[in-house]
Amino acid sequence: MTADFLILSLLTLVGAVAAVSLRNLVHCALALAAALAGLAGLYLHLQAQFVGFAQLLVYVGAVAILIVFAILLTRGSDSEPDGPPATRGWVPGAGLAAAAAGLVVAAILSSRALAPSLQSSPEAPVRAIGEQLMTRYVLALELIGILLTAALIGAVIIAMTLPSRRSAEHKPQSRTSIPDL
Amino acid sequence: MTPLHATLLVSALLFGVGLAGALARRNAIGVLIGIELMFNAANLNFIAFWRYGPHPEALTGILFVLFSIAIAAAEAAVGLALIIALYRHCRTVHLDKVNSLKG
């Protein structure tokens, strides 16, 4: 356990706590981006360079921005207070999460299977990752492509207002505006 | 404490924080943020076991994390589209106020 590991894990955990506990949602999204950047640093520390940079690109670059967009698009509703620590759901939620985390931590600390292995420093060169993706995991890669296409089309369709549905929404409104006889 | 233990502890604490957020937040976007944190805790576990495991040359952990990141990105896109559709329908993303199944 070295100093850079301590700093990176502290950044990650503090960012995560801020992301779930801050009141303002935009601050939450920024804290989430900080936590994800700290995780990318942890991946680099663990010598998984490709995964670390993929994490930076996908999470810090795309998912955090997507969350900020969603916050700004749904802005009208965040004037109401969102979960100050005294609301009903906070105590059982945090208690349950603390119980689950405590169980896992106790299991980790008491485990004997996690014996210190030989401290080799493995390498994951991009060439080897690409070869594996193109040979052994090619079916999974194709499935991920299909999944991403389906998710893209599905997200567009879900978030889109269909013109027919909009006209169907307008009709009953105009009808209700007319006093029925 | 070995480095594997330390990494797994960080991952467990991150999972707990994400679970607390997903259970306790009342805003749909806050719940989604908690879910993303739990996803990332699982990814950190994969990387830790790849790094300190007996067969790091197989690259299984790396590839699993890459696929998991792709799936998490798709999940975030669909989830945020659902939240936007919900907001358009109910004019709120406050989960306690979304309490009707029909119309």
Side-chain angles (χ1 to χ4, degrees), chain A residues 6-22 31-32 34-35, chain B residues 10 14 17 37:
Chain A
L6 278 180
I7 292 170
L8 286 171
S9 51
L10 206 65
L11 171 68
T12 305
L13 288 177
V14 169
V17 169
V20 302
S21 63
L22 284 181
L32 177 74
Chain B
V10 171
L14 193 64
V17 171
L37 286 175

Side-chain angles (χ1 to χ4, degrees), chain A residues 52-149:
Chain A
F53 289 116
Q55 165 97 0
L56 269 184
L57 275 178
V58 174
Y59 272 108
V60 186
V63 172
I65 300 302
L66 205 62
I67 287 176
V68 170
F69 265 106
I71 290 168
L72 296 183
L73 283 175
T74 60
R75 191 156 205 179
S77 69
D78 68 348
S79 57
E80 50 204 308
D82 173 72
T87 48
R88 282 175 297 136
W90 193 261
V91 174
L96 204 60
L103 204 66
V104 179
V105 166
I108 290 169
L109 288 182
S110 68
S111 166
R112 311 228 165 166
L114 304 178
S117 61
L118 58 161
Q119 288 292 322
S120 65
S121 65
E123 288 191 353
V126 182
R127 169 183 287 272
I129 293 175
E131 279 174 358
Q132 291 275 318
L133 275 180
M134 279 298 130
T135 54
R136 191 173 171 194
Y137 298 95
V138 65
L139 187 62
L141 187 71
E142 300 287 334
L143 281 177
I144 285 287
I146 294 175
L147 177 93
L148 282 177
T149 312

Side-chain angles (χ1 to χ4, degrees), chain A residues 16 20 22 25 36 39 43 46 51 55 59 66 70 73 76-77 80 82 90 97 108 117 120 122 137 144 155 159 161, chain B residues 5 8 10 14 16-17 20 24-27 36 40 43-44 51-52 56 63 65 67 72 80-81 87-88 93 97:
Chain A
V20 302
L22 284 181
L25 270 181
L36 296 175
L39 263 175
Y43 293 160
L46 292 174
V51 175
Q55 165 97 0
Y59 272 108
L66 205 62
L73 283 175
S77 69
E80 50 204 308
D82 173 72
W90 193 261
I108 290 169
S117 61
S120 65
Y137 298 95
I144 285 287
T161 50
Chain B
H5 277 94
L8 292 183
V10 171
L14 193 64
V17 171
R25 290 304 286 249
R26 283 293 163 262
N27 193 306
E36 292 294 331
N40 279 285
N43 286 350
L44 183 58
R51 169 69 175 81
Y52 298 111
L63 288 161
V65 170
F67 290 134
L80 290 171
Y87 175 73
R88 191 173 290 143
V93 288
K97 297 187 179 159

Side-chain angles (χ1 to χ4, degrees), chain B residues 55-75:
Chain B
H55 295 293
E57 71 279 357
L59 295 179
T60 318
I62 297 268
L63 288 161
F64 219 114
V65 170
L66 285 179
F67 290 134
S68 163
I69 285 177
I71 289 180
E75 170 258 341

